[in-house]
Amino acid sequence: FAEADCIVEGTWRSAWVHQSYIEPHSTIADCDASGEITIWTSTQAPFFIRDELAQTLGIPENKIRVVPTEMGGGFGGKIYLYELMVAALAMMVRRPVKFIMSRREDMLAATPAPFAHIELKTGMKKDGTLVALQAKLIYDSGAFPGAPMLPGCLLVGGYYKCDNLEVQGYEVLTNKASAGALRAPGAHNATFAIESNIDMMAAELGLDPLEVRLRICAEEGDPLPSGQALPRIGLR
C-alpha cells in the first residue's frame, strides 16, 4: 500500500437472493415390488440425485431411476433438496409419494444464495497498476456449512494481476435456511466488491476504467490467490 497513489476501502453487502425459478420444488417417487425406485423431479442434476440416493439409502445405482421433468429454470437452486425424503417415504409405504412445495414454502425452505459482507481495501498506481489487495469475505451459510466462500475468495483476488494479496474468508452458521448456489456460487458477491473498487480507483486517478481493466486483467498462466495457474481464459 505504501507504493499506491490511490487507496480505496469499502464494505460491500449483498442480500440473500432466491433463484426465482418459475415452478417450486416438486418430486414424485415410487417404489415397485422389486425395490426399484423411480423419481420424477424438477432438477438440474439427475445423476447427482441418483448418486446421493444410492449412497444414503444403500441401494445400487441401477435400482434408482431419476426422470428430470421439464423445468422453468433452476439457476443453481434445483440440484438436490427433498428427493431423499420423498424416496424414503415411498419405500416405507410402498406407494407413490408426491411432494410439491407452495411458493411460500419454497421461499422459506429452499436454498437461496447467501448474504455476504465483504471488506475490501485496494491500492493502485497512477498508471493503473494494482499494487495491493486486502479482503475479508464473510458468507452467511444458514443452518449448515456449505456457503460458497472459497470461490468468492479465489475470485476477489483472481480477476486482476496483483503481487500483494491478503484474502480471508469466513462462513458463519446462522438460524436460517441453508445457503445454495446462484449462477456461479459466491461469484456475484465478490465481483460486486472488486469491480466497485476498481471503478472508484480509476475515477480518483482520472483513468478510463476499461483501459485499467485491460491493463491488469488476469491471463493464462497468472496465479489465482490459491497459487494455481490459470488455464486459458477469455477475460481480456
Side-chain angles (χ1 to χ4, degrees), residues 120 159-160 190-200 213 235:
L120 183 60
Y159 285 131
Y160 301 109
T191 304
F192 173 46
I194 183 60
E195 298 301 342
S196 298
N197 266 44
I198 295 290
D199 280 343
M200 292 168 70
R213 285 174 168 84
L235 182 55

Side-chain angles (χ1 to χ4, degrees), residues 23 27-28 31-32 40 86 112 114 144 191 202-203 209:
E23 72 291 302
T27 301
I28 296 173
C31 183
D32 64 18
W40 297 264
V86 183
F144 298 96
T191 304

Side-chain angles (χ1 to χ4, degrees), residues 10-199:
T11 298
W12 309 99
R13 297 161 65 89
S14 49
W16 285 84
V17 182
H18 194 279
Q19 295 86 356
S20 298
Y21 28 75
I22 292 175
E23 72 291 302
H25 281 272
S26 53
T27 301
I28 296 173
D30 190 17
C31 183
D32 64 18
S34 70
E36 184 170 310
I37 298 172
T38 302
I39 295 175
W40 297 264
T41 187
S42 181
T43 183
Q44 302 169 238
F47 294 103
F48 182 75
I49 288 174
R50 185 190 65 180
D51 295 345
E52 287 293 310
L53 263 61
Q55 181 178 342
T56 308
L57 297 174
I59 298 173
E61 287 184 2
N62 62 4
K63 289 283 190 179
I64 300 172
R65 180 168 172 256
V66 179
V67 182
T69 59
E70 291 187 21
M71 277 198 314
F75 318 116
K78 286 197 169 180
I79 297 172
Y80 173 68
L81 192 59
Y82 291 108
E83 286 81 5
L84 173 62
M85 177 187 75
V86 183
L89 288 171
M91 290 174 64
M92 290 173 63
V93 300
R94 295 289 173 172
R95 296 183 62 183
V97 174
K98 178 170 68 174
F99 175 79
I100 299 177
M101 300 179 82
S102 68
R103 178 62 65 185
R104 182 176 187 273
E105 289 167 341
D106 201 298
M107 295 292 283
L108 288 171
T111 51
F115 164 85
H117 171 104
I118 298 176
E119 299 172 11
L120 183 60
K121 180 181 179 182
T122 51
M124 183 173 282
K125 290 184 175 181
K126 290 177 181 178
D127 63 0
T129 304
L130 185 62
V131 291
L133 184 150
Q134 188 175 43
K136 180 165 76 172
L137 298 86
I138 304 171
Y139 283 82
D140 186 345
S141 187
F144 298 96
M149 174 269 293
L150 180 58
C153 288
L154 290 174
L155 290 174
V156 78
Y159 285 131
Y160 301 109
K161 302 174 191 287
C162 184
D163 291 332
N164 304 294
L165 295 174
E166 182 185 68
V167 180
Q168 300 177 18
Y170 302 86
E171 63 171 320
V172 180
L173 298 180
T174 58
N175 187 26
K176 299 174 185 172
S178 192
L182 174 62
R183 299 292 296 167
H188 68 278
N189 317 89
T191 304
F192 173 46
I194 183 60
E195 298 301 342
S196 298
N197 266 44
I198 295 290
D199 280 343

